[in-house]
Amino acid sequence: LAKGVLTAAWAAGRQLTIGIGPGGDVAAEFEVVGNDIKLRGAWTNEAIEVAQLLWNAEPGTAVSYEGRFVKFHDVVMDQGGNHTYRGPRPRLWVGGRSEAALQRAVKYSSGYLPYLIDPKQLKDRVNRLKEICQEQKRNFRELTIAVTTFMVPADTIEAAVDLMREVRGFQNVDQDRLKRYYALGSVQQCVDKLAEYVEAGATTVVL
């Protein structure tokens, strides 16, 4: 991950912003690869720490890390000689809706990027982020507040719901959930829904 992001930054010739989260809420998805869903947050924290350690190291400089899951000593991340990216380090936006996710966002990231969240829930979390920033003595204005959603234009909200149910993965999703979390319907209805997220505190919307 760490090397791949810097390689992408080198290819793009600019700083990248990436989103990271602990994964979904389905325990079976973790069990099938031999992991425990209860440890996903701790794994995510260490992954972030390792990635940022490697990103911030001077090219060719050895670094070490001793964590609960990850341990290495005197490791050099080879960035490919002439392909070494020397620009600004990647920006990290953290996803999730839990208290742990909010703590993670303030501790490690430059942005908060939740998914499956309605405007009211986002507003509540923005208020909590402000409290955590005070507790951790961090400037809240340093955080980008973003939200991920889908926009599905159609003649009506109901017609947009029908369109979404034709997409694999959404066939069995409750209609009320689709209406809560996504911008659906006429262009004006979509704009109004996105405006609700902005009013709740979002400065960026990822569609």
Side-chain angles (χ1 to χ4, degrees), residues 9 15 18 30 38 67 70 75-76 79-80 90 107-108 122 132 153 170 175 194:
Q15 183 183 36
I18 69 166
F30 292 83
K38 295 178 182 178
V70 180
V75 167
V76 176
Q79 297 184 38
K107 182 175 181 179
Y108 295 113
L122 178 64
I132 298 171
F170 290 99
Q175 178 175 306
L194 298 180

Side-chain angles (χ1 to χ4, degrees), residues 1-4 6 51 53-63 75-80 84 89:
L1 169 66
K3 183 174 180 179
L6 286 191
L53 174 66
L54 293 168
W55 288 336
N56 292 325
E58 287 294 322
T61 302
V63 294
V75 167
V76 176
M77 183 171 69
D78 181 7
Q79 297 184 38
T84 298
R89 299 299 90 182

Side-chain angles (χ1 to χ4, degrees), residues 22-23 33 40 60 66 91-92 98 125 128 148 167 169 202 206-207:
V33 292
R40 60 183 177 157
E66 188 77 21
R91 288 182 294 254
L92 190 68
S98 67
R125 282 156 179 79
R128 178 60 184 139
T148 299
V167 178
V206 179
L207 297 173

Side-chain angles (χ1 to χ4, degrees), residues 23-36:
D25 300 322
V26 182
E29 294 178 350
F30 292 83
E31 292 168 359
V32 75
V33 292
N35 287 325
D36 183 347

Side-chain angles (χ1 to χ4, degrees), residues 119-136:
K120 182 184 181 304
Q121 291 172 320
L122 178 64
K123 185 175 182 179
D124 291 341
R125 282 156 179 79
V126 168
N127 289 335
R128 178 60 184 139
L129 283 169
K130 291 177 180 178
E131 293 175 350
I132 298 171
C133 282
Q134 272 196 321
E135 294 165 5
Q136 297 192 16

